[in-house]
């Protein structure tokens, strides 16, 4: 497949782009920054919030799918979050319809349901939206856009609610929420190649013994995670915030203060 990866220079993008290439996909990168030295595939430097720039990229490339990883990965003000995650997603989806690109794989987040109490048990894809921050609100809204375009335009759209993407887990919470680099590539590849998923949600975590989220939605799409955070459990030290971070599935985000811009900003 010829796949546009937005946020290709980001932490997940730097792993997913070579991983997809190794699996035989023809990757095109897109980011706000120039291509890193030695990048072996096509690259566009553009802002995904700029609808005209996005349309120009999709007009220039004959694509089979978009993997949308671009976006600020932390809590900021509500306007910033909506621009970064909702406006960008809408620009891409509009351009996809205009240029007959049939599938999006979207990097959503566990923070879309982050305020769900852990006492509610293992979360399925049917969990009601329950964001823990403005970041989580933006992810919920972006997922709603994917559902809209799947319903109205027949696009295939897979929302991957990513847990803790790390080289290895470093906290007790991450023993439940970890997504390994290798499994991140497997997850995106499965979401790209699953036959006719329509609109689907999966939880982007590895096959963790202590998993908080149901892996079955991903397995139905062909995602077979191979790593388990338990392999690192003996390296993870207990911390003073472990109990608080386990109260809600969003961990520290669920109790953090919202980011509000200064008056006059």
């Amino acid at each position: 497949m010829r796949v546009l990866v937005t946020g290709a220079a980001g932490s997940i993008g730097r792993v997913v782009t070579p991983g997809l290439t190794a699996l035989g996909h023809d990757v095109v990168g897109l980011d706000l920054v120039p291509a890193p030295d030695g990048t072996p595939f096509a690259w566009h430097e553009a802002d995904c919030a700029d609808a005209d720039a996005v349309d120009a990229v999709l007009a220039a490339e004959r694509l089979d799918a978009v993997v949308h990883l671009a976006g600020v990965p932390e809590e900021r003000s509500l306007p910033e979050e909506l621009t970064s995650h909702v406006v960008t997603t809408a620009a891409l989806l509009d351009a996809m319809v205009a240029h007959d690109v049939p599938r999006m794989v979207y990097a959503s987040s566990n923070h879309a349901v982050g305020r769900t109490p852990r006492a509610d048990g293992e979360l399925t894809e049917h969990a009601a939206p329950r964001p823990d921050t403005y970041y989580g609100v933006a992810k919920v809204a972006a997922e709603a856009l994917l559902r809209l375009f799947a319903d109205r335009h027949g696009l295939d759209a897979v929302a991957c609610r990513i847990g803790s993407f790390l080289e290895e887990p470093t906290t007790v919470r991450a023993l439940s929420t970890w997504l390994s680099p290798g499994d991140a590539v497997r997850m995106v590849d499965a979401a790209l190649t699953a036959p006719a998923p329509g609109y689907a949600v999966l939880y982007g975590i590895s096959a963790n013994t202590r998993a908080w989220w149901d892996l079955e939605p991903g397995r139905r799409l062909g995602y077979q995670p191979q790593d388990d955070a338990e392999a690192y459990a003996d390296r993870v030290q207990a911390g003073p915030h472990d109990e608080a971070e386990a109260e809600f599935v969003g961990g520290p985000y669920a109790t953090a203060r919202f980011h509000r811009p200064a008056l006059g900003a």
Side-chain angles (χ1 to χ4, degrees), residues 42-263:
W43 190 278
H44 294 267
E45 189 176 341
D47 185 347
C48 290
D50 182 338
D52 291 337
V54 167
D55 188 79
V57 171
L58 270 70
E61 303 286 352
R62 296 181 62 84
L63 299 169
D64 300 302
V66 172
V67 176
H68 185 23
L69 306 177
V72 294
E74 68 275 331
E75 175 72 347
R76 294 190 183 175
S77 70
L78 182 59
E80 289 176 288
E81 294 292 352
L82 294 177
T83 298
S84 183
H85 302 290
V86 184
V87 172
T88 63
T89 303
L92 285 160
L93 289 166
D94 280 335
M96 288 170 63
V97 170
H99 299 288
D100 298 318
V101 181
R103 182 173 304 213
M104 176 180 280
V105 177
Y106 178 63
S108 188
S109 172
N110 70 94
H111 298 294
V113 290
R115 193 69 189 183
T116 307
R118 276 286 301 121
D120 286 4
E122 186 178 67
L123 263 70
T124 73
E125 77 270 35
H126 302 300
R130 202 161 180 179
D132 52 22
T133 45
Y134 291 145
Y135 174 75
V137 167
K139 290 298 189 182
V140 170
E143 288 186 7
L145 276 173
L146 264 63
R147 187 64 186 256
L148 172 66
F149 276 72
D151 287 345
R152 294 198 62 167
H153 299 288
L155 295 185
D156 288 315
V158 180
C160 304
R161 290 178 179 166
I162 295 171
S164 305
F165 176 76
L166 302 162
E167 284 292 327
E168 62 180 72
T170 56
T171 65
V172 171
R173 176 177 180 267
L175 293 175
S176 300
T177 63
W178 184 52
L179 175 65
S180 74
D183 282 336
V185 174
R186 295 179 193 104
M187 175 190 72
V188 172
D189 179 57
L192 283 170
T193 57
Y199 174 75
V201 172
L202 65 82
Y203 286 99
I205 58 173
S206 290
N208 303 324
T209 298
R210 310 185 195 190
W212 289 349
W213 304 310
D214 184 8
L215 280 167
E216 185 56 30
R219 291 194 171 110
R220 288 198 298 267
L221 298 178
Y223 172 45
Q224 299 295 338
Q226 297 180 17
D227 299 317
D228 185 345
E230 206 64 23
Y232 300 91
D234 60 351
R235 304 186 196 179
V236 176
Q237 301 297 315
H241 305 296
D242 290 343
E243 185 174 348
E245 290 188 359
E247 184 178 0
F248 301 96
V249 299
Y253 269 45
T255 54
R257 292 186 177 184
F258 293 154
H259 181 101
R260 294 182 174 87
L263 291 176

